[in-house]
Amino acid sequence: MFVSIEELKSVMYGYQMGEITENDEDIVIQSIESAIEEIQSYLAPNNKKEFDDGRPLYDVDKIFSATGKERNALIVRFCLSIAAWYICELSNVDIIHEQVKERYDRAISWLKSVVKGDANPRVPTLSGDNEGEAGSSKKPFRYGSRPKFNHE
């Protein structure tokens, strides 16, 4: 798994997590997996035409298969914040709900800026070896005019 239950304790106390989940590790694991899936959905390229404009396409499999210090620290932190949000949805036991919600909103906002190309995380991108596939080298834009039209 990309992040562990122990690492989740950096965004919420263990006793809070235990009270909310009633010490059920399956709920915690499901929250972590949901957070990973949500981040992957933002970083994975799709078939929209707007993704052919030259922005980097991220190698999601390589990003989330990294371990230890090889992982991108910001993506790990946001993954933990999103997982904490999913856990806190169950209850509000001694946690400031607004603070957890603010962290979640910040993570989602950052992921949206990555998708738009406004933020560039230092994570692996897909290579452009195969023409026509995701990651192929495209020019960021095209300009010119149509051929002149005459009614004659």
Side-chain angles (χ1 to χ4, degrees):
M1 195 177 328
F2 185 65
V3 296
S4 67
I5 295 173
E6 288 299 315
E7 290 174 313
L8 193 57
K9 292 179 181 175
S10 68
V11 293
M12 66 188 311
Y13 293 112
Y15 80 90
Q16 294 169 328
M17 195 174 5
E19 286 181 21
I20 293 170
T21 63
E22 296 177 351
N23 294 318
D24 186 356
E25 280 192 10
D26 290 337
I27 294 172
V28 178
I29 291 170
Q30 182 183 13
S31 298
I32 291 171
E33 289 173 351
S34 297
I36 290 170
E37 185 67 32
E38 184 168 354
I39 291 175
Q40 286 176 339
S41 71
Y42 280 100
L43 297 178
N46 60 36
N47 295 331
K48 286 185 173 181
K49 186 173 178 101
E50 65 188 32
F51 284 93
D52 288 340
D53 65 356
R55 72 180 89 184
L57 301 175
Y58 301 105
D59 190 349
V60 176
D61 294 331
K62 192 171 183 180
I63 293 169
F64 288 95
S65 65
T67 58
K69 301 243 183 217
E70 296 173 3
R71 302 174 299 173
N72 181 285
L74 195 56
I75 291 179
V76 169
R77 184 67 179 185
F78 286 149
C79 186
L80 294 170
S81 294
I82 293 170
W85 170 251
Y86 286 130
I87 290 171
C88 286
E89 282 182 326
L90 295 175
S91 178
N92 191 8
V93 179
D94 196 23
I95 293 179
I96 302 171
H97 185 267
E98 292 79 25
Q99 185 179 22
V100 175
K101 174 72 169 137
E102 184 178 308
R103 288 180 188 164
Y104 173 81
D105 290 340
R106 180 171 179 255
I108 298 304
S109 173
W110 181 81
L111 289 167
K112 286 180 180 180
S113 70
V114 168
V115 169
K116 289 180 184 175
D118 296 335
N120 295 318
R122 293 180 300 174
V123 294
T125 58
L126 295 172
S127 62
D129 296 338
N130 300 329
E131 193 63 35
E133 290 186 11
S136 63
S137 57
K138 304 273 183 176
K139 294 183 180 178
F141 57 88
R142 184 174 80 175
Y143 60 94
S145 63
R146 293 183 179 201
K148 187 172 181 176
F149 178 75
N150 291 324
H151 289 284
E152 298 176 8

